[in-house]
Amino acid sequence: LWAFFRFKKKGDVMDINEIAKDTYYFSINNNLSGFITKRNAIKCFEQLVAKLEPGESIHLPFIDTPGSCYYATQHRIIKCSKKLFGFKFKEWKWDQIKSINYLKRGFTGTLILNTVHGEVKIQVCSCRAKFVGNRLNETKKIAK
């Protein structure tokens, strides 16, 4: 199963809110999610759309705990975190990521991004750690 969401910034007939809901439910239905609310995930997605480059598409949405969304595009991985007044974004371009690994321990899974600036750990559901890790590695290969 592959998530692929493509849209245009202006003049698009698709409703961004509907795409946001589809993205959120993809994460829920594929056990990729943590404990972010649907409302915050949708608000985060709406702000993410404004940051995307023309033609950039989302290849994999997943949700971390607590309150952070991650999106993989063909250019980068973007983290959106809920803050007291708004959202904060952080990103890693694919050329900054040396490797992507995953660990599974009991009910928890951890994605490990080895970046040029150090290690980034992202918690995911243990049953989906391999799925997400493989999808991110595939996207990284395509990005080269």
Side-chain angles (χ1 to χ4, degrees), residues 90-138:
K90 184 170 182 164
E91 68 179 61
W92 300 270
K93 299 213 183 273
W94 288 113
D95 61 357
Q96 295 176 309
I97 300 172
K98 297 177 192 176
S99 65
I100 302 165
N101 300 304
Y102 63 89
L103 294 172
K104 292 174 20 175
R105 290 190 182 136
F107 295 110
T108 28
T110 304
L111 296 172
I112 303 168
L113 308 179
N114 293 309
T115 72
V116 294
H117 302 292
E119 203 172 74
V120 177
K121 293 183 179 181
I122 304 169
Q123 282 197 287
V124 294
C125 176
S126 68
C127 64
R128 291 317 225 169
K130 182 178 179 181
F131 171 79
V132 175
N134 288 340
R135 292 296 178 232
L136 292 177
N137 277 312
E138 288 174 17

Side-chain angles (χ1 to χ4, degrees), residues 4 24 47 49 88 92 114 116-117 124 139:
F4 188 75
Y24 176 78
Q47 293 193 20
V49 168
K88 178 181 175 184
W92 300 270
N114 293 309
V116 294
H117 302 292
V124 294
T139 305

Side-chain angles (χ1 to χ4, degrees), residues 27-102:
S27 293
I28 295 295
N29 292 334
N30 289 281
N31 297 320
L32 305 178
S33 64
F35 297 104
I36 193 168
T37 65
K38 179 171 100 173
R39 181 174 156 236
N40 283 341
I42 290 171
K43 283 183 175 184
C44 185
F45 181 89
E46 289 171 346
Q47 293 193 20
L48 171 72
V49 168
K51 298 179 78 50
L52 295 179
E53 299 169 5
E56 187 174 14
S57 55
I58 295 171
H59 288 257
L60 181 70
F62 57 105
I63 301 171
D64 185 32
T65 57
S68 296
C69 296
Y70 288 81
Y71 296 92
T73 74
Q74 69 266 42
H75 303 297
R76 56 202 165 154
I77 294 177
I78 302 169
K79 175 185 180 183
C80 173
S81 302
K82 176 76 171 111
K83 296 296 174 194
L84 188 58
F85 297 106
F87 294 89
K88 178 181 175 184
F89 291 90
K90 184 170 182 164
E91 68 179 61
W92 300 270
K93 299 213 183 273
W94 288 113
D95 61 357
Q96 295 176 309
I97 300 172
K98 297 177 192 176
S99 65
I100 302 165
N101 300 304
Y102 63 89

